[in-house]
Amino acid sequence: VNALSDHEHPCQALADFLTIRERKGGLSGVRLAYVGDGNNVARSLALLSGMLGVTFRIASPAGYELDGESVAQARSLAAACGTAIELLRDPVEAVTGADVVYTDTWISMGEEQEAAERRRAFAGYQVNASLMEQAGPDAVFMHCLPAHHGEEVTSDVLNGPASIVFDQAENRLHVQKAVLAQILIPAD
């Protein structure tokens, strides 16, 4: 079971889509905007978006985009569901009209030596109140945690009324238990 690797974070994505479904009443027509690094979380969200028929838009700075192979795979899955996977540079364009705005840390484990360079590259990619105002009227904010307050997200968004980060955290427990039950308990 891949709970987390440098390439993907599928258990996180499963928990995220459970959380979105709980909040939005379903996944049909949902528009998910991801702002930041094309990392393991973004990759798993793009792939699962394609499988579930969710439109996925990601805004990343040059050099930090999702890799081409993952994009091609996610787009193939999305085409079968009639949705899209969009790669953008502009965070405002990505979040405009979105139902869900998602971000992750700019500096993941093992990237500490790149901290100054990454902070410069991602400087215009912070999720703040101004960016959230561009999203849909009932948009929610998601982050896989831990978050760096004032870096990839401001405290007013992370701790604000649109934030569902603690619902995500709770759902990780439930989803991972379900995955283990599925593989460990034989079908009758």
Side-chain angles (χ1 to χ4, degrees):
V1 175
N2 178 354
L4 166 66
S5 72
D6 287 343
H7 190 68
E8 289 188 41
H9 201 343
C11 285
Q12 178 68 52
L14 288 169
D16 293 339
F17 281 101
L18 172 61
T19 308
I20 294 167
R21 194 177 96 193
E22 287 176 346
R23 281 302 175 118
K24 298 297 177 183
L27 297 175
S28 179
V30 168
R31 295 160 297 173
L32 170 58
Y34 183 96
V35 178
D37 195 7
N39 62 12
N40 57 349
V41 173
R43 186 173 294 107
S44 290
L45 289 171
L47 292 168
L48 199 50
S49 289
M51 290 178 205
L52 297 174
V54 170
T55 297
F56 182 78
R57 303 176 94 193
I58 179 171
S60 302
Y64 296 95
E65 308 91 343
L66 282 172
D67 64 283
E69 183 180 331
S70 297
V71 171
Q73 184 180 7
R75 283 182 169 159
S76 174
L77 294 164
C81 294
T83 58
I85 307 296
E86 299 177 45
L87 278 64
L88 306 164
R89 289 271 182 261
D90 182 4
V92 173
E93 184 180 357
V95 305
T96 298
D99 301 298
V100 179
V101 177
Y102 199 122
T103 195
D104 191 6
T105 182
W106 295 342
I107 304 154
S108 294
M109 294 177 289
E111 298 171 340
E112 293 83 4
Q113 72 283 0
E114 303 170 18
E117 176 186 329
R118 285 177 159 274
R119 284 187 182 102
R120 277 190 300 277
F122 287 99
Y125 290 81
Q126 181 185 71
V127 178
N128 52 39
S130 176
L131 189 63
M132 286 297 294
E133 287 173 6
Q134 305 306 310
D138 297 317
V140 294
F141 171 75
M142 299 179 83
H143 191 300
C144 61
L145 301 179
H148 297 102
H149 294 246
E151 201 162 279
E152 73 272 7
V153 60
T154 56
S155 292
D156 60 324
V157 172
L158 183 66
N159 300 316
S163 179
I164 59 172
V165 298
F166 295 118
D167 293 334
Q168 284 177 269
E170 177 187 354
N171 282 339
R172 277 195 301 272
L173 171 66
H174 303 311
V175 164
Q176 291 175 7
K177 289 188 308 184
V179 168
L180 290 174
Q182 184 66 35
I183 63 173
L184 295 175
I185 299 171
D188 291 336

